[in-house]
């Protein structure tokens, strides 16, 4: 299969591909006003992870109206649609995540969130819209589809459950069998991106991935994304007599500083590593020595074996510091999202499709990031390609990064997303098994 994919690199765009590109572009242009309405509707009604009831119903209704085979209630609110093409062939999957974030939207737009404190600040409204646009496009032109396309509308990409128990999101969808019957030969996913760092740039200069551009990263795309919860236990005493207790706050402060030094003094500097402590809570009153402090944070790495070494170092540091002060600790560490590894032969076979559509200058190689994404669970089953959809537009003031209250997308990017997915899927189906 890999040989067949690489062989495509040596072939110029065929007349059939050029004709299909033009056909699809015309249809996407006609669909565009409807797609904008869908995106704005989803954006105005965002739903948090594992609460995507309205969004899932909208998706399922749309897919059914297009004549797809539809399954609902997967991994709680996931939806899977199967589109059968005009001729026999393999299956290719497309993933779109549906959930929003607990962020208050500050951008004043007609489609502003109507759910206080919840916002599509990561572009999942655009992801869903692009996938629905692709479904409608291919349903209209089934004769261009040599096989079938499985649409994976996924819940709960943004957040894990409140406790460290059970599976969710993509991992749970895979466990419930979405990558079988039929099993895809490849899976594609896109993600809206405004601020990026292209390959070769080493400073912190701002670079925007604009509407009309797509980005890609060969091999490792992002990081293993893990969570940890630490409890440091001391002994309560009156604040006027700290020697009679064990100050959990003081011990925690020392532990925080020591854990941060793992990166700077205890690991190979060539290995990317982020350790961030995002929450800290403890103590009962200002004149009482705290008996317990809780810390929460994240660890980001690329290499799984290196990550295991970091965990061991964290335990060693926490044990040493707490023992030295007569305190104790507990750490619950959850390996959540593995790193996305983009399949290089699949990328090499797909990039000519993107360059054919958008031009060489608009297909941008990016460096890996330290974010986490559970698309990786799908890409562990079959070859995957997770690419970036440019959404920035400086003239319109759309330049904010994801997970911020001013994030937005130039809606012209929706057309690019649908066309990119259509070319990637159909060209891969044309390559056969």
């Amino acid at each position: 299969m890999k040989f067949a994919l690489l062989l495509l690199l040596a072939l110029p765009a065929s007349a059939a591909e050029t004709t299909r590109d033009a056909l699809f572009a015309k249809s996407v242009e006609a669909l565009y006003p409807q797609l904008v309405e869908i995106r704005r509707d989803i954006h105005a009604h965002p739903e948090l992870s594992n609460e995507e009831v309205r969004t899932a119903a909208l998706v399922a209704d749309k897919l059914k109206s297009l004549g797809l085979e539809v399954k609902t209630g997967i991994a709680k609110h996931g939806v899977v649609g199967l589109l059968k093409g005009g001729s026999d062939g393999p299956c290719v999957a497309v993933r779109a995540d549906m959930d929003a974030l607990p962020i208050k939207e500050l951008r004043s737009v007609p489609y502003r969130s109507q759910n206080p404190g919840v916002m599509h600040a990561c572009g999942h409204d655009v992801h869903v819209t692009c996938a629905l646009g692709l479904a409608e496009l291919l349903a209209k032109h089934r004769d261009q589809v040599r096989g079938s396309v499985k649409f994976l509308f996924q819940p709960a990409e943004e957040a894990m459950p409140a406790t460290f128990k059970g599976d969710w999101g993509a991992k749970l969808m895979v466990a419930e069998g979405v990558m079988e019957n039929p099993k895809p030969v490849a899976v594609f996913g896109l993600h809206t991106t405004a601020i990026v760092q292209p390959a070769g740039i080493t400073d912190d200069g701002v670079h925007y991935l604009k509407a009309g551009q797509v980005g890609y990263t060969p091999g490792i795309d992002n990081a293993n994304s893990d969570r940890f919860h630490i409890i440091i236990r001391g002994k309560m005493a009156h604040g006027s007599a700290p020697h009679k207790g064990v100050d959990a706050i003081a011990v925690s402060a020392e532990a925080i500083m020591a854990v941060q030094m793992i990166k700077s003094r205890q690991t190979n500097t060539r290995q990317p590593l982020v350790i961030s402590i995002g929450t800290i809570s403890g103590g009962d009153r200002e004149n009482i020595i705290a008996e317990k402090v809780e810390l929460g944070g994240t660890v980001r790495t690329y290499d799984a074996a290196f990550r295991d070494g970091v965990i061991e170092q964290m335990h060693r540091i926490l044990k040493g510091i707490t023992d030295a002060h007569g305190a104790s600790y507990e750490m619950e560490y959850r390996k959540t999202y593995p790193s996305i590894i983009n399949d290089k032969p699949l990328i090499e076979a797909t990039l000519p499709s993107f360059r054919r559509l958008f031009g060489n200058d608009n297909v941008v190689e990016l460096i890996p990031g330290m974010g986490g994404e559970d698309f990786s669970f799908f890409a562990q089953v079959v070859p995957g390609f997770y690419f970036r959809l440019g959404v920035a537009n400086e003239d319109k003031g759309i330049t904010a990064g994801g997970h911020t209250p001013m994030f937005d997308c130039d809606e012209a990017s929706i057309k690019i997303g649908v066309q990119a997915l259509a070319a990637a899927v159909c060209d891969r189906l044309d390559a056969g098994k």
Side-chain angles (χ1 to χ4, degrees):
M1 182 185 75
K2 290 187 176 181
F3 176 77
L5 292 176
L6 290 171
L7 184 62
L8 292 177
L9 294 173
L11 300 177
S14 68
E17 288 170 339
T18 303
T19 300
R20 183 169 65 204
D21 291 342
L23 178 68
F24 282 1
K26 183 177 180 180
S27 292
V28 170
E29 194 65 42
L31 283 173
Y32 180 60
Q34 173 191 333
L35 296 179
V36 170
E37 289 182 12
I38 291 173
R39 183 259 166 161
R40 294 187 175 192
D41 179 63
I42 296 171
H43 189 93
H45 301 91
E47 296 170 301
L48 294 174
S49 301
N50 287 322
E51 298 178 8
E52 308 91 339
V53 176
R54 184 184 187 276
T55 308
L58 182 155
V59 166
D61 288 347
K62 181 65 176 178
L63 296 180
K64 289 175 183 176
S65 74
L66 296 173
L68 275 68
E69 298 177 10
V70 179
K71 296 180 180 179
T72 60
I74 299 169
K76 199 163 186 179
H77 299 304
V79 180
V80 175
L82 184 65
L83 183 147
K84 294 181 178 179
S87 58
D88 292 337
C91 174
V92 169
V94 174
R95 178 273 208 151
D97 37 5
M98 301 186 293
D99 53 333
L101 286 160
I103 293 175
K104 180 180 179 181
E105 185 165 14
L106 297 182
R107 190 172 173 87
S108 181
V109 289
Y111 46 88
R112 184 175 178 173
S113 171
Q114 297 178 23
N115 188 352
V118 182
M119 175 191 173
H120 271 295
C122 201
H124 294 188
D125 51 336
V126 173
H127 303 175
V128 172
T129 303
C130 287
L132 288 176
L134 176 67
E136 184 153 358
L137 176 70
L138 298 184
K140 181 179 180 181
H141 300 291
R142 288 179 189 263
D143 60 310
Q144 298 293 326
V145 182
R146 298 182 181 181
S148 61
V149 183
K150 183 177 284 189
F151 292 88
L152 310 172
F153 290 90
Q154 181 205 314
E157 185 278 327
E158 292 289 1
M160 61 185 294
T163 62
F164 285 130
K165 310 297 181 184
D167 295 328
W168 69 97
K171 187 176 183 180
L172 186 55
M173 289 189 81
V174 171
E176 294 186 5
V178 300
M179 298 298 281
E180 304 296 334
N181 301 318
K183 182 176 182 177
V185 295
V187 59
F188 293 96
L190 58 73
H191 198 294
T192 58
T193 303
I195 299 175
V196 301
Q197 205 164 15
I201 291 182
T202 56
D203 60 19
D204 292 326
V206 174
H207 179 91
Y208 298 116
L209 197 64
K210 300 175 183 178
Q213 295 181 310
V214 294
Y216 69 97
T217 307
I220 294 174
D221 181 273
N222 63 7
N224 299 301
S225 175
D226 301 339
R227 308 279 183 91
F228 60 83
H229 180 244
I230 297 169
I231 299 176
I232 292 181
R233 299 186 187 277
K235 180 182 178 182
M236 188 179 293
H238 196 283
S240 65
H243 60 288
K244 294 183 178 181
V246 177
D247 190 344
I249 289 178
V251 176
S252 297
E254 189 173 333
I256 290 170
M257 296 305 296
V259 166
Q260 296 298 321
M261 289 186 69
I262 292 176
K263 166 64 177 173
S264 63
R265 290 295 180 269
Q266 299 183 40
T267 60
N268 188 327
T269 56
R270 295 183 180 181
Q271 280 281 7
L273 169 65
V274 172
I275 303 177
S276 294
I277 293 175
T279 64
I280 179 170
S281 62
D284 299 298
R285 192 172 174 180
E286 64 276 4
N287 65 342
I288 299 175
I289 297 298
E291 186 174 41
K292 183 176 78 169
V293 171
E294 297 187 45
L295 311 172
T298 184
V299 174
R300 307 296 173 102
T301 56
Y302 289 156
D303 183 83
F306 173 72
R307 175 238 304 231
D308 290 340
V310 171
I311 299 170
E312 291 177 7
Q313 289 172 307
M314 291 177 69
H315 277 292
R316 177 172 52 79
I317 287 170
L318 291 166
K319 185 178 189 308
I321 289 174
T322 53
D323 282 353
H325 292 284
S328 64
Y329 84 97
E330 303 161 26
M331 182 171 74
E332 192 165 17
Y333 192 102
R334 181 71 179 262
K335 297 176 181 178
T336 55
Y337 299 165
S339 175
I340 293 175
I341 310 295
N342 281 324
D343 185 76
K344 289 184 180 180
L346 182 59
I347 289 179
E348 290 167 351
T350 306
L351 290 182
S353 308
F354 290 169
R355 292 177 179 134
R356 188 179 75 229
L357 288 172
F358 313 124
N360 290 339
D361 291 343
N362 289 319
V363 181
V364 183
E365 183 176 349
L366 310 174
I367 63 173
M370 296 303 285
E373 236 283 0
D374 66 352
F375 176 86
S376 52
F377 288 109
F378 299 120
Q380 286 182 335
V381 180
V382 299
F385 183 11
Y386 178 81
F387 64 92
R388 311 292 172 151
L389 178 67
V391 297
N393 187 318
E394 295 176 76
D395 293 337
K396 295 180 180 180
I398 301 175
T399 58
H403 289 227
T404 68
M406 290 295 289
F407 179 77
D408 202 356
C409 302
D410 183 346
E411 290 173 325
S413 65
I414 295 171
K415 291 187 284 188
I416 303 301
V418 176
Q419 288 180 278
L421 287 171
V425 166
C426 289
D427 287 359
R428 178 61 191 88
L429 290 175
D430 287 349
K433 295 183 179 180

